[in-house]
Amino acid sequence: MPKLKRVGDTDNRGATDFIESLDRGLRVLEVFGGSRQPMTLSDLAKAADLPRATARRILLTLERAGFVATDGKLFRLMPRVLVLASSYLASNHVVSVLQPALDKLSGEAQEISSMAILDGNDVVFIARASPTRIFSAGIDIGYRLPAFCTSVGRVLLSRLPDGELAAALGKMDLTPLTPFTVTDKKLLLKTIIADRAEGYSLVDREAEPGFRSISVPVRRYDGTIVAAINMGAHVDRVSSAEMVERFLPRLRAAAASVKSMLV
């Protein structure tokens, strides 16, 4: 299992501003996200890049707090970890403002709609709406995907000036997710800049086989992009042209309806 990379590894703030034990505990919690199965102490320690004894103490502390359970050999997360996610969602102003707009959008279009934010090189979906007639499956809240090959990700990356965007793409691991994933960094830069000019991004089968999606930026009152909303469908059901014709105006209307409320 690969070692977990920390976003803040290059942070040069003073040691007095950093609680290493807390960072290690959070690192262990994050490791569970890379596995759908319970994990051994050795696997967790290796993935979190921690000594086995340190990982053991952290896991036993998390067990006592109710975040982790073990049978003596394997460790697994407990539902209590959802408190952390629900606290974020409940306190997130963008989610509270956008959710009614997403619900309206999804009901009118009779399609699933989602909202995502940028987290490092990934996008994280933090809100979702689905018409009642559609079974709620697939991408859900908390789901992560690489930003470079998703429509929401390209919309969010487009907020960067050209130089910063080129530098960000240069540092990304552009591992293809499908045979259609674009991994040429110069082409990606050109595509994202063009998407910025158009005000939307349409990605066709690059992130998931047989699936295309279209996204627009969500801007706060001063024009800053704070999130992206999208709608998607299987390629056999909705064409790219239909997405632009039917979905794009609704997405733009939903984003515009909340701009004055986002601070």
Side-chain angles (χ1 to χ4, degrees), residues 80-262:
R80 185 172 174 79
V81 298
L82 296 176
V83 171
L84 302 176
S86 61
S87 296
Y88 167 76
L89 294 174
S91 64
N92 188 291
H93 177 61
V94 178
V95 173
S96 62
V97 170
L98 253 295
Q99 190 63 60
L102 282 181
D103 293 337
K104 180 181 178 182
L105 171 65
S106 181
E108 290 178 349
Q110 287 296 289
E111 300 287 350
I112 294 173
S113 60
S114 303
M115 178 175 70
I117 58 172
L118 199 61
D119 183 25
N121 294 334
D122 295 338
V123 290
V124 182
F125 291 85
I126 61 172
R128 188 170 184 267
S130 173
T132 55
R133 70 175 181 84
I134 296 179
F135 177 71
S136 180
I139 291 177
D140 212 336
I141 293 175
Y143 193 76
R144 304 177 72 94
L145 283 171
F148 79 92
C149 62
T150 58
S151 62
V152 285
R154 290 180 184 173
V155 163
L156 291 165
L157 289 170
S158 73
R159 68 190 180 190
L160 298 174
D162 292 357
E164 291 182 25
L165 175 59
L169 291 174
K171 296 176 182 177
M172 289 185 186
D173 176 17
L174 306 185
T175 301
L177 300 187
T178 77
F180 299 94
T181 305
V182 175
T183 58
D184 183 279
K185 295 183 179 181
K186 290 183 178 180
L187 178 56
L188 276 172
L189 177 63
K190 183 179 179 180
T191 299
I192 295 172
I193 291 174
D195 288 349
R196 181 202 295 150
E198 293 290 338
Y200 74 92
S201 176
L202 195 156
V203 169
D204 192 350
R205 294 169 291 175
E206 291 190 49
E208 297 181 72
F211 189 83
R212 58 170 61 103
S213 69
I214 186 169
S215 300
V216 302
V218 175
R219 300 178 184 272
R220 68 184 188 191
Y221 72 98
D222 62 356
T224 301
I225 296 174
V226 295
I229 54 175
N230 85 324
M231 302 188 80
H234 195 275
V235 295
D236 293 336
R237 194 167 62 80
V238 181
S239 68
S240 296
E242 184 180 356
M243 284 198 158
V244 174
E245 180 180 351
R246 186 162 71 91
F247 293 174
L248 181 57
R250 295 182 185 277
L251 285 165
R252 283 176 165 165
S257 71
V258 301
K259 182 176 180 180
S260 64
M261 294 183 281
L262 295 174

